[in-house]
Amino acid sequence: MLDDMIRVTKDDKLFMDVPGIKGWIRSQTQFSNTVPLMKFRFAFKHDIDPSTFMELLTTKRKLWDKELALYEDVASDDDWTLYRYIMRSPSCLSSPLYSVEKRMLFEDEGTFYGYYSSVPDNVLPLKKSYNRCNTVFGGTVLKKERGEYAYYSLSQVDAHVNGFVQSLVMRFIPQRTQEFYEKLKKTIYSL
C-alpha cells in the first residue's frame, strides 16, 4: 500500500522543488476528505545504516531538531511503539502541537517502511496549553534509487487550525520542510 501511495499521480500537485527535496499535496484520500495529504521525497547520497536513519527521525530526533520540545516512547510490544511528542508552535498564532501516535517500522527486501497514526485522546490526555495534532495517516519509505537513498514521507495531519492560522501554517510548510531536511542531511553527513 505505501509503495502505491508514494507514486505521483494526476491528483498530486507539486508545490516544492528544491535540490534533493520535492513536495506534493493532494486535497483528499480514502482516509480523509478534509485534511490534505502531503508527500515528500528527500534524496541523499550516504551509506548510513537504515536503522540509524530511522533512529534520527524518532528516538534521536531531539538531538538535532530544535523544533521538537519533547519526544518519548511510552510503551511498545513486538509490532507497535506508542510515543508522544510536542512540537514548538508552528507560528506565533497557535499553541505548541501535542500528538500521541503508534508507530510500526519494518523492512522488506531492502526497503524500510514506517506506518504511524494517532491514538484516541483518552490514551494520553491532552494538556490544556497544547493544541492536539492528529495524524490521520502517516507512512514512510526508505529505499535505494539510482545510487542514492530516497526517503518518502506521506502524512495527513489535522492540527486543528483553520482560517487565517491554517493559511499561514500552509504558507510556511515548504520553507519549514526544506529547513527540516537540510538539518537532517547535515546530521547524516556528520556521522
Side-chain angles (χ1 to χ4, degrees):
M1 181 174 140
L2 285 174
D3 285 324
D4 291 335
M5 292 194 73
I6 64 174
R7 288 188 190 91
V8 176
T9 71
K10 63 178 176 49
D11 297 324
D12 299 323
K13 178 183 172 196
L14 182 69
F15 74 93
M16 179 179 181
D17 190 359
V18 297
I21 309 166
K22 286 190 177 192
W24 299 266
I25 192 165
R26 184 183 305 175
S27 60
Q28 57 186 341
T29 71
Q30 69 265 33
F31 304 111
S32 173
N33 292 328
T34 59
V35 181
L37 172 74
M38 303 197 91
K39 183 185 302 189
F40 295 96
R41 181 184 188 275
F42 166 57
F44 60 97
K45 291 186 178 192
H46 194 280
D47 287 331
I48 189 169
D49 179 83
S51 61
T52 301
F53 179 83
M54 296 312 281
E55 286 176 351
L56 288 174
L57 290 172
T58 57
T59 57
K60 293 186 177 177
R61 180 171 165 183
K62 198 162 184 314
L63 298 173
W64 62 272
D65 186 359
K66 301 305 177 206
E67 301 301 316
L68 189 66
L70 170 84
Y71 179 97
E72 67 180 351
D73 287 347
V74 177
S76 64
D77 64 19
D78 291 339
D79 296 321
W80 294 94
T81 299
L82 180 70
Y83 64 101
R84 66 180 170 180
Y85 65 92
I86 299 170
M87 296 297 296
R88 299 186 199 290
S89 174
S91 73
C92 61
L93 303 174
S94 67
S95 300
L97 300 175
Y98 175 77
S99 188
V100 179
E101 299 177 344
K102 60 185 182 284
R103 172 185 73 234
M104 177 193 292
L105 302 173
F106 59 96
E107 183 264 338
D108 183 46
E109 297 183 12
T111 298
F112 297 81
Y113 298 92
Y115 167 80
Y116 51 98
S117 66
S118 291
V119 297
D121 290 349
N122 63 355
V123 173
L124 282 172
L126 172 67
K127 296 178 182 178
K128 290 184 181 177
S129 60
Y130 300 123
N131 190 19
R132 183 64 179 224
C133 182
N134 290 312
T135 299
V136 177
F137 167 80
T140 59
V141 178
L142 176 65
K143 62 182 180 175
K144 287 271 190 167
E145 290 181 346
R146 300 178 295 277
E148 63 184 7
Y149 271 113
Y151 174 71
Y152 294 89
S153 173
L154 312 159
S155 62
Q156 281 185 282
V157 177
D158 187 353
H160 301 285
V161 294
N162 33 28
F164 175 74
V165 175
Q166 181 180 20
S167 63
L168 184 65
V169 169
M170 292 300 288
R171 183 175 170 207
F172 286 106
I173 284 177
Q175 175 190 345
R176 298 289 291 263
T177 300
Q178 184 174 356
E179 291 169 359
F180 174 84
Y181 283 121
E182 286 174 354
K183 287 187 285 187
L184 176 58
K185 186 174 185 176
K186 183 177 179 182
T187 304
I188 291 167
Y189 283 91
S190 72
L191 297 177

